[in-house]
Amino acid sequence: MANPSSSPSPSSHGRILQFAPFQSIVDDGFWRRLSALKLDTLRVDQSPIPISGFYAPCSHSSVSNYMTLLSESLPSDSNAQSLLEPVRGNRNKCPIPGTLLNTNTMESFRALDKGSLLKAEAKRILEDICSGRAEEEPSVLLRFLVISFADLKKWGFYYWCAFPALVLDPPATLLNLKPASEVLNSDEVVSLSAACSEWRNSSVTTDVPFFLVSINSNSAAILTPLKDWEFCKGEGQKVLFGFYDPCHLPTNPGWPLRNFLAFISLRWNIEKINFFCYREKQGSADMTLSLIGEALVSPPSAWRDPQCIPKAVGWEPKGGKLMPRFVSLAESMDPERLAVSAAELNLKLMRWRTLPSLDLDMLSGVRCLILGVGTLGCEVARILMAWGIRKMTLIDSGRVAMSNPVRQSLYTFQDCLNGGEFKANAAARNLKQIFPAVEAEGIVMPIPMPGHPIAAKETDTVLESCKRLEDLIDSHDITFLLTDTRESRWLPTLICSNKNKIAITAALGFDSYLVMRHGAGPMPTTSPCATAADVGSTGPRLGCYFCNDVVAPIDSVSNRTLDQQCTVTRPGLAPIASALAVELLVGLIHHPDKINAKGEIAGSIVSSSDEQPLGILPHQIRGSLSQSSQLTLLGHSSHSCTACSEAVVAEYRQRGLEFVLQAINQPTYLEDLTGLTELKDSVGSFKLDWVDDDAINEEDGDDF
């Protein structure tokens, strides 16, 4: 074998050296990882992303190896635009550096100047050769490029891989190419096999794809890194330039040899190059499958010009044509997982431009308790799902009636049959049919109400309902009060006030609505935080649903006509109020003060909406369809409130459910406790002395 440092004599023999193209295969995990990176981190950023590909030497006599892209090929979320951390490979995964250009639109993908992109990558390779970097980091000779467009609505991905190769002009001439077992003697074959195994088994060198092979006069072979070239070119040494060859063909070397030949000829001024295509069989060196060849190479003189932009080839063909590829994951994905991804898409897109501070993790962890699954409750549940809130419990004791499905969006005609299914159960089941990932539970349970006295035999049942309601409110983060009557909202309001839990109320008239958030409850007077919670930096406590009342909650359903018993409202009213209730919740949980956040009024100069991307955070929203109007109002807690005042909450804390029973059975008890009885008495006894205008004129003359 000729020493590669000797000058070749011109030869008319040989043929143009042809290389088997590199082929790529992209794992589904890569696209899933890219989707998450695009939605959560990159958003509209189209900057190049450093990635890693993996390949290994051919390991089968009839199948070539591919360059593979895996989920780990992409950087972490927090490091998407910085240099990719060094990737360590193994004997089956040799890492090579690459660049991903992912566009925002299909039009941008098609408009990419592929020729310029390829030349730019080739220039980087040429610079690495001239600077000597390729000696220290040989994998840069295999630098690759991927352009892509991710259609995240349909889970389809358009992509095109390029493996830039410097074009030699004139082309390299192949003088000889044979199996290594035919070129080397038996001792050299044994020694080279052992040296290759040692190289491949070492954690330091197993993922280094280019190396030097030195064979001395005693047929002993050793493998060394490229940077040791000066020590390998001594007299009497046979030197081969080795590389991991992914190709299985006996007549052609693989694509990595192209830039390797350019590197050898340009960096070390060698024209006659003996190369070693290393291949394996069942994980061990195979000298019959591996090839040794000899080639004549003359690098273009222009390559030594720092401003040179070399010619390059390398776009991967598809079916013999230069065109991009397309892969769809929709059919291969689990339908439920696909539904989750699709549902989250709109929320993640919000974070791209409009709401970068939107906390989707917090939303997905919020636990909501919905009291009342009628027109309001059904709409609220669906809008909660749209905001990414997955955990909800629905409470109602009623059954689905024939009049419900057209107004209440979680029910169907089938739910009305055979006397009607319980609303809570039907709603929870239908929520899961709409979106399988929702964690919805239905509980059939009445809510004890003041003004509805109970018989002695019902006491235990009512107390059990009260205790269960306490536990449910305690185990949830937010409670929605969406029941049909005022009195059914009293006990949940009291419990939320006592436990300082967020409560959102929505109530309907015929053509008007009220949506409000309850303020924080009063702290125990023995608590050192009482002053801070009640007033403190956030000002007076905001009021609850009952703070403006001057009467205690009473029975509002008995002795009523049909139109008074039913919630008769304009059909478009409930969706509006429900949407506002959920929007109010989302704004509240994103506010740094949470339940203690001040109430803001639209148009107020003290509004902090500039700091809150979701806008102002009102206390109350009152609207009228007939007037096409909406008002934001502010009301502070009342000392005479029958649900959240200090007197009522303190009595509840002291007496517990005994207090609740007394409030249920004695209609005037709450008014007596809060001073409303005394207030009404004082108003009733107040007398006005009317003065006649004529008398005034008679007394005061005509001075007016």
PDB file of all heavy atoms in Angstrom, residues 569-596:
ATOM      1  N   THR A 569     -85.620  33.535  31.355  1.00  0.00           N
ATOM      2  CA  THR A 569     -84.643  34.521  30.889  1.00  0.00           C
ATOM      3  C   THR A 569     -84.548  34.468  29.369  1.00  0.00           C
ATOM      4  O   THR A 569     -84.910  33.477  28.737  1.00  0.00           O
ATOM      5  CB  THR A 569     -83.233  34.235  31.460  1.00  0.00           C
ATOM      6  OG1 THR A 569     -82.764  32.994  30.935  1.00  0.00           O
ATOM      7  CG2 THR A 569     -83.257  34.171  32.960  1.00  0.00           C
ATOM      8  N   ARG A 570     -84.013  35.526  28.808  1.00  0.00           N
ATOM      9  CA  ARG A 570     -83.731  35.508  27.379  1.00  0.00           C
ATOM     10  C   ARG A 570     -82.619  34.494  27.118  1.00  0.00           C
ATOM     11  O   ARG A 570     -81.622  34.438  27.865  1.00  0.00           O
ATOM     12  CB  ARG A 570     -83.318  36.910  26.911  1.00  0.00           C
ATOM     13  CG  ARG A 570     -84.472  37.900  26.982  1.00  0.00           C
ATOM     14  CD  ARG A 570     -84.061  39.323  26.681  1.00  0.00           C
ATOM     15  NE  ARG A 570     -83.503  39.489  25.336  1.00  0.00           N
ATOM     16  CZ  ARG A 570     -83.340  40.687  24.746  1.00  0.00           C
ATOM     17  NH1 ARG A 570     -83.723  41.783  25.397  1.00  0.00           N
ATOM     18  NH2 ARG A 570     -82.831  40.776  23.545  1.00  0.00           N
ATOM     19  N   PRO A 571     -82.764  33.666  26.080  1.00  0.00           N
ATOM     20  CA  PRO A 571     -81.821  32.553  25.876  1.00  0.00           C
ATOM     21  C   PRO A 571     -80.359  32.965  25.745  1.00  0.00           C
ATOM     22  O   PRO A 571     -79.468  32.202  26.095  1.00  0.00           O
ATOM     23  CB  PRO A 571     -82.334  31.906  24.587  1.00  0.00           C
ATOM     24  CG  PRO A 571     -83.789  32.221  24.558  1.00  0.00           C
ATOM     25  CD  PRO A 571     -83.906  33.596  25.144  1.00  0.00           C
ATOM     26  N   GLY A 572     -80.124  34.178  25.243  1.00  0.00           N
ATOM     27  CA  GLY A 572     -78.729  34.592  25.063  1.00  0.00           C
ATOM     28  C   GLY A 572     -78.062  35.088  26.316  1.00  0.00           C
ATOM     29  O   GLY A 572     -76.856  35.375  26.317  1.00  0.00           O
ATOM     30  N   LEU A 573     -78.804  35.188  27.407  1.00  0.00           N
ATOM     31  CA  LEU A 573     -78.277  35.799  28.626  1.00  0.00           C
ATOM     32  C   LEU A 573     -77.274  34.892  29.351  1.00  0.00           C
ATOM     33  O   LEU A 573     -76.203  35.338  29.776  1.00  0.00           O
ATOM     34  CB  LEU A 573     -79.440  36.142  29.558  1.00  0.00           C
ATOM     35  CG  LEU A 573     -79.188  37.246  30.594  1.00  0.00           C
ATOM     36  CD1 LEU A 573     -78.925  38.567  29.903  1.00  0.00           C
ATOM     37  CD2 LEU A 573     -80.393  37.369  31.526  1.00  0.00           C
ATOM     38  N   ALA A 574     -77.629  33.618  29.501  1.00  0.00           N
ATOM     39  CA  ALA A 574     -76.782  32.697  30.284  1.00  0.00           C
ATOM     40  C   ALA A 574     -75.380  32.537  29.695  1.00  0.00           C
ATOM     41  O   ALA A 574     -74.391  32.547  30.444  1.00  0.00           O
ATOM     42  CB  ALA A 574     -77.470  31.339  30.411  1.00  0.00           C
ATOM     43  N   PRO A 575     -75.233  32.364  28.378  1.00  0.00           N
ATOM     44  CA  PRO A 575     -73.864  32.250  27.849  1.00  0.00           C
ATOM     45  C   PRO A 575     -73.012  33.480  28.133  1.00  0.00           C
ATOM     46  O   PRO A 575     -71.809  33.357  28.396  1.00  0.00           O
ATOM     47  CB  PRO A 575     -74.088  32.049  26.340  1.00  0.00           C
ATOM     48  CG  PRO A 575     -75.453  31.466  26.227  1.00  0.00           C
ATOM     49  CD  PRO A 575     -76.241  32.100  27.326  1.00  0.00           C
ATOM     50  N   ILE A 576     -73.626  34.677  28.092  1.00  0.00           N
ATOM     51  CA  ILE A 576     -72.865  35.891  28.369  1.00  0.00           C
ATOM     52  C   ILE A 576     -72.398  35.907  29.824  1.00  0.00           C
ATOM     53  O   ILE A 576     -71.222  36.136  30.122  1.00  0.00           O
ATOM     54  CB  ILE A 576     -73.726  37.141  28.069  1.00  0.00           C
ATOM     55  CG1 ILE A 576     -74.071  37.199  26.579  1.00  0.00           C
ATOM     56  CG2 ILE A 576     -72.998  38.410  28.495  1.00  0.00           C
ATOM     57  CD1 ILE A 576     -75.060  38.295  26.232  1.00  0.00           C
ATOM     58  N   ALA A 577     -73.340  35.668  30.740  1.00  0.00           N
ATOM     59  CA  ALA A 577     -72.996  35.700  32.164  1.00  0.00           C
ATOM     60  C   ALA A 577     -71.997  34.599  32.514  1.00  0.00           C
ATOM     61  O   ALA A 577     -71.069  34.817  33.308  1.00  0.00           O
ATOM     62  CB  ALA A 577     -74.264  35.557  33.000  1.00  0.00           C
ATOM     63  N   SER A 578     -72.171  33.417  31.938  1.00  0.00           N
ATOM     64  CA  SER A 578     -71.256  32.303  32.226  1.00  0.00           C
ATOM     65  C   SER A 578     -69.850  32.621  31.747  1.00  0.00           C
ATOM     66  O   SER A 578     -68.860  32.349  32.444  1.00  0.00           O
ATOM     67  CB  SER A 578     -71.768  31.028  31.550  1.00  0.00           C
ATOM     68  OG  SER A 578     -73.061  30.693  32.003  1.00  0.00           O
ATOM     69  N   ALA A 579     -69.755  33.186  30.554  1.00  0.00           N
ATOM     70  CA  ALA A 579     -68.437  33.537  30.025  1.00  0.00           C
ATOM     71  C   ALA A 579     -67.754  34.569  30.909  1.00  0.00           C
ATOM     72  O   ALA A 579     -66.561  34.463  31.222  1.00  0.00           O
ATOM     73  CB  ALA A 579     -68.569  34.054  28.590  1.00  0.00           C
ATOM     74  N   LEU A 580     -68.502  35.578  31.343  1.00  0.00           N
ATOM     75  CA  LEU A 580     -67.921  36.599  32.213  1.00  0.00           C
ATOM     76  C   LEU A 580     -67.482  36.013  33.549  1.00  0.00           C
ATOM     77  O   LEU A 580     -66.457  36.425  34.110  1.00  0.00           O
ATOM     78  CB  LEU A 580     -68.942  37.722  32.442  1.00  0.00           C
ATOM     79  CG  LEU A 580     -69.233  38.620  31.232  1.00  0.00           C
ATOM     80  CD1 LEU A 580     -70.391  39.553  31.533  1.00  0.00           C
ATOM     81  CD2 LEU A 580     -67.991  39.418  30.855  1.00  0.00           C
ATOM     82  N   ALA A 581     -68.244  35.048  34.063  1.00  0.00           N
ATOM     83  CA  ALA A 581     -67.883  34.421  35.343  1.00  0.00           C
ATOM     84  C   ALA A 581     -66.546  33.701  35.236  1.00  0.00           C
ATOM     85  O   ALA A 581     -65.686  33.817  36.118  1.00  0.00           O
ATOM     86  CB  ALA A 581     -68.988  33.454  35.775  1.00  0.00           C
ATOM     87  N   VAL A 582     -66.358  32.954  34.164  1.00  0.00           N
ATOM     88  CA  VAL A 582     -65.096  32.226  33.995  1.00  0.00           C
ATOM     89  C   VAL A 582     -63.948  33.192  33.711  1.00  0.00           C
ATOM     90  O   VAL A 582     -62.836  33.036  34.238  1.00  0.00           O
ATOM     91  CB  VAL A 582     -65.221  31.176  32.877  1.00  0.00           C
ATOM     92  CG1 VAL A 582     -63.889  30.469  32.655  1.00  0.00           C
ATOM     93  CG2 VAL A 582     -66.308  30.157  33.219  1.00  0.00           C
ATOM     94  N   GLU A 583     -64.194  34.198  32.881  1.00  0.00           N
ATOM     95  CA  GLU A 583     -63.150  35.184  32.598  1.00  0.00           C
ATOM     96  C   GLU A 583     -62.733  35.907  33.881  1.00  0.00           C
ATOM     97  O   GLU A 583     -61.551  36.201  34.088  1.00  0.00           O
ATOM     98  CB  GLU A 583     -63.645  36.190  31.563  1.00  0.00           C
ATOM     99  CG  GLU A 583     -63.936  35.613  30.188  1.00  0.00           C
ATOM    100  CD  GLU A 583     -62.691  35.121  29.475  1.00  0.00           C
ATOM    101  OE1 GLU A 583     -61.621  35.736  29.658  1.00  0.00           O
ATOM    102  OE2 GLU A 583     -62.781  34.120  28.737  1.00  0.00           O
ATOM    103  N   LEU A 584     -63.708  36.187  34.731  1.00  0.00           N
ATOM    104  CA  LEU A 584     -63.403  36.822  36.012  1.00  0.00           C
ATOM    105  C   LEU A 584     -62.513  35.924  36.859  1.00  0.00           C
ATOM    106  O   LEU A 584     -61.558  36.386  37.499  1.00  0.00           O
ATOM    107  CB  LEU A 584     -64.711  37.139  36.747  1.00  0.00           C
ATOM    108  CG  LEU A 584     -64.616  37.979  38.026  1.00  0.00           C
ATOM    109  CD1 LEU A 584     -64.007  39.341  37.741  1.00  0.00           C
ATOM    110  CD2 LEU A 584     -65.996  38.136  38.656  1.00  0.00           C
ATOM    111  N   LEU A 585     -62.811  34.638  36.851  1.00  0.00           N
ATOM    112  CA  LEU A 585     -61.988  33.691  37.601  1.00  0.00           C
ATOM    113  C   LEU A 585     -60.562  33.655  37.072  1.00  0.00           C
ATOM    114  O   LEU A 585     -59.591  33.714  37.844  1.00  0.00           O
ATOM    115  CB  LEU A 585     -62.607  32.295  37.521  1.00  0.00           C
ATOM    116  CG  LEU A 585     -61.677  31.156  37.954  1.00  0.00           C
ATOM    117  CD1 LEU A 585     -61.380  31.248  39.439  1.00  0.00           C
ATOM    118  CD2 LEU A 585     -62.263  29.807  37.593  1.00  0.00           C
ATOM    119  N   VAL A 586     -60.405  33.559  35.759  1.00  0.00           N
ATOM    120  CA  VAL A 586     -59.067  33.463  35.170  1.00  0.00           C
ATOM    121  C   VAL A 586     -58.252  34.714  35.498  1.00  0.00           C
ATOM    122  O   VAL A 586     -57.064  34.636  35.837  1.00  0.00           O
ATOM    123  CB  VAL A 586     -59.162  33.244  33.647  1.00  0.00           C
ATOM    124  CG1 VAL A 586     -57.776  33.275  33.010  1.00  0.00           C
ATOM    125  CG2 VAL A 586     -59.840  31.911  33.347  1.00  0.00           C
ATOM    126  N   GLY A 587     -58.886  35.869  35.410  1.00  0.00           N
ATOM    127  CA  GLY A 587     -58.188  37.092  35.775  1.00  0.00           C
ATOM    128  C   GLY A 587     -57.802  37.116  37.240  1.00  0.00           C
ATOM    129  O   GLY A 587     -56.713  37.568  37.609  1.00  0.00           O
ATOM    130  N   LEU A 588     -58.690  36.614  38.093  1.00  0.00           N
ATOM    131  CA  LEU A 588     -58.437  36.633  39.538  1.00  0.00           C
ATOM    132  C   LEU A 588     -57.278  35.732  39.932  1.00  0.00           C
ATOM    133  O   LEU A 588     -56.413  36.134  40.724  1.00  0.00           O
ATOM    134  CB  LEU A 588     -59.714  36.220  40.279  1.00  0.00           C
ATOM    135  CG  LEU A 588     -59.649  36.217  41.807  1.00  0.00           C
ATOM    136  CD1 LEU A 588     -59.321  37.595  42.337  1.00  0.00           C
ATOM    137  CD2 LEU A 588     -60.956  35.697  42.400  1.00  0.00           C
ATOM    138  N   ILE A 589     -57.218  34.528  39.395  1.00  0.00           N
ATOM    139  CA  ILE A 589     -56.150  33.609  39.813  1.00  0.00           C
ATOM    140  C   ILE A 589     -54.802  33.992  39.210  1.00  0.00           C
ATOM    141  O   ILE A 589     -53.756  33.520  39.671  1.00  0.00           O
ATOM    142  CB  ILE A 589     -56.496  32.143  39.483  1.00  0.00           C
ATOM    143  CG1 ILE A 589     -56.674  31.946  37.981  1.00  0.00           C
ATOM    144  CG2 ILE A 589     -57.735  31.708  40.233  1.00  0.00           C
ATOM    145  CD1 ILE A 589     -56.977  30.503  37.601  1.00  0.00           C
ATOM    146  N   HIS A 590     -54.809  34.857  38.185  1.00  0.00           N
ATOM    147  CA  HIS A 590     -53.542  35.359  37.647  1.00  0.00           C
ATOM    148  C   HIS A 590     -53.092  36.634  38.356  1.00  0.00           C
ATOM    149  O   HIS A 590     -51.966  37.096  38.134  1.00  0.00           O
ATOM    150  CB  HIS A 590     -53.662  35.621  36.143  1.00  0.00           C
ATOM    151  CG  HIS A 590     -53.458  34.411  35.290  1.00  0.00           C
ATOM    152  ND1 HIS A 590     -54.458  33.495  35.036  1.00  0.00           N
ATOM    153  CD2 HIS A 590     -52.359  33.938  34.667  1.00  0.00           C
ATOM    154  CE1 HIS A 590     -53.983  32.534  34.274  1.00  0.00           C
ATOM    155  NE2 HIS A 590     -52.719  32.769  34.033  1.00  0.00           N
ATOM    156  N   HIS A 591     -53.967  37.199  39.177  1.00  0.00           N
ATOM    157  CA  HIS A 591     -53.608  38.424  39.900  1.00  0.00           C
ATOM    158  C   HIS A 591     -52.723  38.058  41.090  1.00  0.00           C
ATOM    159  O   HIS A 591     -52.981  37.070  41.786  1.00  0.00           O
ATOM    160  CB  HIS A 591     -54.869  39.135  40.380  1.00  0.00           C
ATOM    161  CG  HIS A 591     -54.634  40.548  40.809  1.00  0.00           C
ATOM    162  ND1 HIS A 591     -54.042  40.865  42.025  1.00  0.00           N
ATOM    163  CD2 HIS A 591     -54.895  41.738  40.182  1.00  0.00           C
ATOM    164  CE1 HIS A 591     -53.967  42.176  42.135  1.00  0.00           C
ATOM    165  NE2 HIS A 591     -54.473  42.732  41.034  1.00  0.00           N
ATOM    166  N   PRO A 592     -51.698  38.835  41.360  1.00  0.00           N
ATOM    167  CA  PRO A 592     -50.790  38.482  42.477  1.00  0.00           C
ATOM    168  C   PRO A 592     -51.470  38.469  43.837  1.00  0.00           C
ATOM    169  O   PRO A 592     -51.042  37.745  44.733  1.00  0.00           O
ATOM    170  CB  PRO A 592     -49.699  39.569  42.405  1.00  0.00           C
ATOM    171  CG  PRO A 592     -50.287  40.672  41.594  1.00  0.00           C
ATOM    172  CD  PRO A 592     -51.226  40.018  40.632  1.00  0.00           C
ATOM    173  N   ASP A 593     -52.545  39.261  44.005  1.00  0.00           N
ATOM    174  CA  ASP A 593     -53.229  39.314  45.302  1.00  0.00           C
ATOM    175  C   ASP A 593     -54.358  38.306  45.424  1.00  0.00           C
ATOM    176  O   ASP A 593     -55.012  38.225  46.480  1.00  0.00           O
ATOM    177  CB  ASP A 593     -53.772  40.725  45.555  1.00  0.00           C
ATOM    178  CG  ASP A 593     -52.659  41.740  45.735  1.00  0.00           C
ATOM    179  OD1 ASP A 593     -51.572  41.346  46.190  1.00  0.00           O
ATOM    180  OD2 ASP A 593     -52.876  42.916  45.396  1.00  0.00           O
ATOM    181  N   LYS A 594     -54.638  37.585  44.349  1.00  0.00           N
ATOM    182  CA  LYS A 594     -55.686  36.552  44.344  1.00  0.00           C
ATOM    183  C   LYS A 594     -56.992  37.082  44.962  1.00  0.00           C
ATOM    184  O   LYS A 594     -57.509  38.089  44.537  1.00  0.00           O
ATOM    185  CB  LYS A 594     -55.187  35.300  45.074  1.00  0.00           C
ATOM    186  CG  LYS A 594     -53.964  34.647  44.420  1.00  0.00           C
ATOM    187  CD  LYS A 594     -54.266  34.101  43.065  1.00  0.00           C
ATOM    188  CE  LYS A 594     -53.138  33.246  42.503  1.00  0.00           C
ATOM    189  NZ  LYS A 594     -51.914  34.007  42.204  1.00  0.00           N
ATOM    190  N   ILE A 595     -57.496  36.404  45.981  1.00  0.00           N
ATOM    191  CA  ILE A 595     -58.811  36.753  46.545  1.00  0.00           C
ATOM    192  C   ILE A 595     -58.818  38.153  47.166  1.00  0.00           C
ATOM    193  O   ILE A 595     -59.860  38.783  47.293  1.00  0.00           O
ATOM    194  CB  ILE A 595     -59.238  35.689  47.589  1.00  0.00           C
ATOM    195  CG1 ILE A 595     -60.731  35.838  47.926  1.00  0.00           C
ATOM    196  CG2 ILE A 595     -58.390  35.786  48.846  1.00  0.00           C
ATOM    197  CD1 ILE A 595     -61.259  34.717  48.807  1.00  0.00           C
ATOM    198  N   ASN A 596     -57.663  38.668  47.553  1.00  0.00           N
ATOM    199  CA  ASN A 596     -57.583  39.993  48.163  1.00  0.00           C
ATOM    200  C   ASN A 596     -57.402  41.115  47.147  1.00  0.00           C
ATOM    201  O   ASN A 596     -57.209  42.275  47.528  1.00  0.00           O
ATOM    202  CB  ASN A 596     -56.427  40.041  49.168  1.00  0.00           C
ATOM    203  CG  ASN A 596     -56.694  39.185  50.393  1.00  0.00           C
ATOM    204  OD1 ASN A 596     -57.744  39.297  51.005  1.00  0.00           O
ATOM    205  ND2 ASN A 596     -55.750  38.327  50.736  1.00  0.00           N
TER     206      ASN A 596
END
